[in-house]
Amino acid sequence: MTTRLLGQILHYHGNPFELGIDASAIHIARGAIDIDGGRIISVGARDDLTPGPAEVIDMGDALLLPGFVDAHMHYPQTGIIASWGKRLIDWLNSYTFPEEARFSDAAYARAQADLTLDLALAHGTTTLASYCTIHPASVDAFFEAAEARAMAVVAGKTCMDRNAPENLRDTIESAVTDSKALLDRWHGRGRARYAITPRFTPTSTPEQLRALGSLWQDHPDCLMQTHLSEQVDEIAWVRELYPEARDYLDTYERAGLLGGRGVFGHAIHLEPREIERLSEAGAALIHCPTSNTFIGSGLFQARRLAERGIPIGLATDTGGGSSFSMLRSMAAAYEVSQLAGQILHPAELIWMATEGSARCLHMSEEVGMLTPDSAADLIALDLASTPAIAQRAARADDIWQAVFPTIMMGDDRAVSGVWVAGERRA
Ligand code: GUN
Ligand code: ZN
């Protein structure tokens, strides 16, 4: 049965960083989206449509958007979000590693996966790319929890064979054997996609990185996700560990871990050569602004990198990030763009949180866009969800002024509807 959702609609003809805002973004004040069989059938102006189908859901003036796509997060860190007072390496050792060790218990892993996905949905996030822990059962737990909710997700076993506690280390061989078994089991099963996941250069030996590079070569349709140039102390450590490498990216490049399906989190302090090579390779960079301010990492150069043609996505990076909300992440991206002198427009922020992230994950045919045949993974945003937001939005002259107060001040209360594969989830 076809369902028709009524509301305002915002969608895009293409990348606003390439086409400009006016040529890429389309606002329909009285819009309708027809969905059937878990897919979008049509998107358009309400008045142009044929008489309505059996079920009509009127969301009033809410803004209908694709569900948010959180392109980099760590579901095992949900329990330690908002932990005080540390920078990256100390934060990993003090908070993250002890919590990740608990995921040797498969039941705990499943409970945390369920909790994280429910929090994500409540915040309007319908697709996530998550790191798991070194335990293969933590990957099964996440994919099973996502499958139970019909969510399209990316995940992978985090690989670490040095500079981590003994109980969180794998080996060169087990990293490959376990990752291969997991990608054989999950990649392409239902809506699941696998990402080969070395945590970052400091926690893998060169041999482990190379072994994962060969695994990726054997399975080129999988993604590869890792961290790159997040914090200056980390970069100095990488230089000590790899005196022969030209730069941080080179530690991945020489291992066969730079490619078009590579997804690099953070990428704040990049050298010109790294930007050149990322651009040539077509690899994606994921901006994690609440994490970058929370852990004190630095200012991502979103516009500069996007204008080099590098795919840019947006993410929460929970629990280094301090919020499950992609709205809050857009607000932080705006604040970072102010500090970096490269101010981002609301159209660019929303695009990064939806289609931009989906493109980085090579999933834009399925999620992140309002186009016929896309999955019906949708949200409705109430643009007057609190008195403070409502009084500001009431003065808006156009859609951008109407939506910006929700970007800057909105949270899960702004998410008035969530559909995953056409089923209402919130
Ligand atoms: N670098 C390596 N591991 C991590 C992690 O878990 N979070 C963040 N923010 N950076 C990392
Ligand atoms: Zn991360």
Side-chain angles (χ1 to χ4, degrees):
M1 182 183 72
T2 302
T3 300
R4 177 166 293 172
L5 304 180
L6 302 179
Q8 302 194 63
I9 292 175
L10 191 56
H11 66 128
Y12 293 86
H13 272 318
N15 183 344
F17 290 102
E18 286 167 7
L19 304 179
I21 312 299
D22 292 341
S24 66
I26 301 151
H27 172 235
I28 306 173
R30 284 171 46 81
I33 301 176
D34 285 357
I35 60 180
D36 197 357
R39 307 229 146 238
I40 295 175
I41 307 294
S42 70
V43 178
R46 196 178 307 185
D47 303 329
D48 298 345
L49 293 177
T50 50
E55 190 189 17
V56 176
I57 302 176
D58 189 347
M59 300 305 293
D61 279 335
L63 181 64
L64 303 176
L65 289 175
F68 294 131
V69 178
D70 184 348
H72 177 126
M73 49 81 65
H74 300 254
Y75 96 83
Q77 298 172 14
T78 289
I80 54 125
I81 192 170
S83 290
W84 185 84
K86 304 282 182 193
R87 290 170 63 84
L88 178 61
I89 306 303
D90 281 349
W91 174 84
L92 285 171
N93 287 318
S94 310
Y95 297 121
T96 310
F97 290 157
E99 176 64 13
E100 292 193 8
R102 298 181 65 184
F103 285 67
S104 58
D105 173 354
Y108 183 67
R110 179 59 195 264
Q112 293 304 100
D114 284 331
L115 172 64
T116 304
L117 292 178
D118 287 341
L119 283 167
L121 288 173
H123 286 83
T125 299
T126 49
T127 286
L128 311 84
S130 184
Y131 289 59
C132 300
T133 63
I134 65 142
H135 314 98
S138 75
V139 183
D140 291 324
F142 185 76
F143 279 127
E144 284 163 9
E147 195 170 64
R149 293 163 178 77
M151 292 171 75
V153 295
V154 175
K157 176 196 124 70
T158 297
C159 301
M160 300 197 271
D161 68 342
R162 65 167 167 176
N163 294 324
E166 172 67 39
N167 59 352
L168 278 183
R169 265 183 264 152
D170 52 16
T171 65
I172 301 167
E173 294 75 28
S174 73
V176 170
T177 316
D178 289 346
S179 299
K180 178 164 169 31
L182 288 162
L183 73 86
D184 284 342
R185 187 173 320 144
W186 288 106
H187 187 66
R189 169 165 151 186
R191 306 189 71 190
R193 317 272 174 103
Y194 195 83
I196 294 166
T197 307
R199 181 177 215 113
F200 68 154
T201 296
T203 48
S204 287
T205 56
E207 294 73 26
Q208 184 177 68
L209 292 181
R210 273 203 298 277
L212 292 171
S214 324
L215 179 66
W216 195 21
Q217 199 167 30
D218 294 342
H219 300 276
D221 54 329
C222 287
L223 295 159
M224 189 291 301
Q225 60 180 355
T226 191
H227 297 85
L228 174 67
S229 294
E230 178 176 0
Q231 208 158 86
V232 287
D233 301 2
E234 170 208 9
I235 297 166
W237 191 17
V238 168
R239 204 168 287 128
E240 271 170 40
L241 292 168
Y242 270 91
E244 68 284 15
R246 289 170 288 185
D247 43 47
Y248 196 153
L249 183 68
D250 196 29
T251 64
Y252 297 126
E253 191 173 353
R254 59 180 56 217
L257 292 170
L258 175 61
R261 285 180 177 263
V263 184
F264 294 91
H266 304 290
I268 295 169
H269 310 280
L270 296 177
E271 303 287 341
R273 191 202 79 89
E274 296 179 292
I275 296 173
E276 193 63 40
R277 288 296 297 130
L278 287 161
S279 161
E280 283 166 8
L285 301 182
I286 309 300
H287 183 19
C288 306
T290 73
S291 169
N292 298 160
T293 53
F294 184 76
I295 313 187
S297 301
L299 306 177
F300 183 76
Q301 313 268 316
R303 176 174 308 290
R304 178 166 159 236
L305 294 163
E307 287 177 354
R308 288 293 300 265
I310 299 176
I312 305 290
L314 188 67
T316 63
D317 191 33
T318 51
S322 55
S323 172
F324 294 98
S325 171
M326 289 294 282
L327 288 170
R328 177 71 197 104
S329 299
M330 284 184 250
Y334 176 74
E335 291 161 353
V336 166
S337 80
Q338 280 281 30
L339 290 169
Q342 309 176 16
I343 188 165
L344 293 171
H345 188 275
E348 294 168 328
L349 294 165
I350 293 172
W351 188 82
M352 285 170 70
T354 54
E355 185 174 339
S357 280
R359 285 193 190 189
C360 290
L361 301 175
H362 296 260
M363 295 174 81
S364 59
E365 288 187 359
E366 183 181 350
V367 301
M369 293 174 74
L370 298 182
T371 19
D373 236 25
S374 269
D377 291 357
L378 303 165
I379 59 170
L381 277 189
D382 175 0
L383 302 183
S385 60
T386 68
I389 296 172
Q391 62 83 31
R392 179 63 185 92
R395 297 184 181 210
D397 292 328
D398 63 20
I399 182 61
W400 306 120
Q401 289 182 20
V403 76
F404 196 54
T406 290
I407 289 176
M408 293 310 300
M409 297 190 280
D411 53 30
D412 51 337
R413 290 169 290 178
V415 179
S416 56
V418 179
W419 292 261
V420 176
E423 292 290 320
R424 187 138 188 192
R425 294 280 168 183

